[in-house]
Amino acid sequence: MPTVLCYGDSNTHGTRPMATLDDLGRFARAERWPGVMAAALGEGWEVIAEGQPGRTTVHDDPVEGPHRNGLTVLPAVLESHRPIDLVIVKLGTNDLKPRFAVSATDIALSLGKLVRVIRASGSGPVGGAPDVLVVAPPPVLEAGCLAEIFAGAAVRSQALSAHVAREAGRQGAGFFDAGAVIEVSPLDGVHYESEAHQRLGKALAEAVRRRFGEG
């Protein structure tokens, strides 16, 4: 039974689009894209959803806490779930916040660093390297209650997919452009509506099957 680990942020966690910063709503497990993907893959697959709101690629968050650094947490997550056949890395949106002051190129390079850590972890079958599929998030909007937190991010996010695709190629990892199948909610400009989770989960199920030579 292949094991797929989905390593991401609030959109992997299933956070609903937010009307205010106090909104803590979360879609039901079956509505979140990892759950949709698992249902589309069917029996014989184990899908592990590891999504944390606010998670970055490699940055300690000076406002929301260093525990949101995806690089710091990653080795423990890999060790706790091994053996893992495939890791889907879906991060980068939170790096667009102006508090981190990084470019689309730097975000892509940070994702490349995560790929190298995964490959060197020995968390794959028989202590080998898991396969990796890097998912570029869709462009964000500066809207609603998150507009100021993501000030200036909309323009930079437009270039992110191309940079992530290039870096995934350099690392020999798979690549998927989420922006080709979904858009963010206009309510807060960052999170996905239920319909987007459905589309993304089904599209990623197809991408995973192709990665395993089944598509």
Side-chain angles (χ1 to χ4, degrees):
M1 175 184 291
T3 297
V4 181
L5 173 67
C6 305
Y7 192 65
D9 51 30
S10 58
N11 281 312
T12 299
H13 171 83
T15 300
R16 291 177 178 269
M18 303 165 65
T20 72
L21 293 179
D22 294 321
D23 282 354
L24 298 177
R26 186 182 189 188
F27 287 112
R29 190 181 304 273
E31 292 182 273
R32 306 167 204 159
W33 73 258
V36 174
M37 185 181 76
L41 287 171
E43 294 184 2
W45 296 78
E46 180 182 15
V47 176
I48 300 167
E50 175 48 61
Q52 179 189 20
R55 179 176 281 157
T56 68
T57 55
V58 300
H59 307 288
D60 288 352
D61 193 317
V63 177
E64 299 176 43
H67 64 291
R68 296 194 166 177
N69 185 326
L71 177 62
T72 302
V73 177
L74 180 58
V77 171
L78 294 170
E79 187 171 318
S80 66
H81 293 298
R82 70 185 184 197
I84 304 164
D85 295 277
L86 172 67
V87 180
I88 298 177
V89 179
K90 188 179 174 300
L91 290 170
T93 297
N94 289 300
D95 294 46
L96 292 164
K97 295 172 181 175
R99 70 184 65 157
F100 299 113
V102 292
S103 66
T105 298
D106 283 339
I107 296 171
L109 292 173
S110 298
L111 287 165
K113 185 175 182 66
L114 297 182
V115 172
R116 293 194 297 274
V117 170
I118 293 167
R119 289 262 175 77
S121 67
S123 59
V126 201
D131 193 12
V132 185
L133 176 64
V134 182
V135 178
V140 303
L141 304 173
E142 293 165 45
C145 65
L146 298 180
E148 201 167 339
I149 293 174
F150 282 87
V155 171
R156 283 182 295 129
S157 70
Q158 292 289 335
L160 187 55
S161 176
H163 289 288
V164 173
R166 187 178 306 115
E167 181 62 18
R170 288 182 64 237
Q171 300 298 332
F175 171 75
F176 183 90
D177 180 12
V181 295
I182 63 167
E183 296 177 348
V184 297
S185 169
L187 180 63
D188 66 12
V190 170
H191 297 110
Y192 311 155
E193 299 287 355
S194 179
E195 295 82 359
H197 277 274
Q198 290 289 324
R199 291 197 301 273
L200 182 60
K202 291 174 182 177
L204 280 172
E206 294 179 6
V208 167
R209 287 191 181 280
R210 289 195 299 271
R211 201 75 188 163
F212 281 82
E214 296 185 12

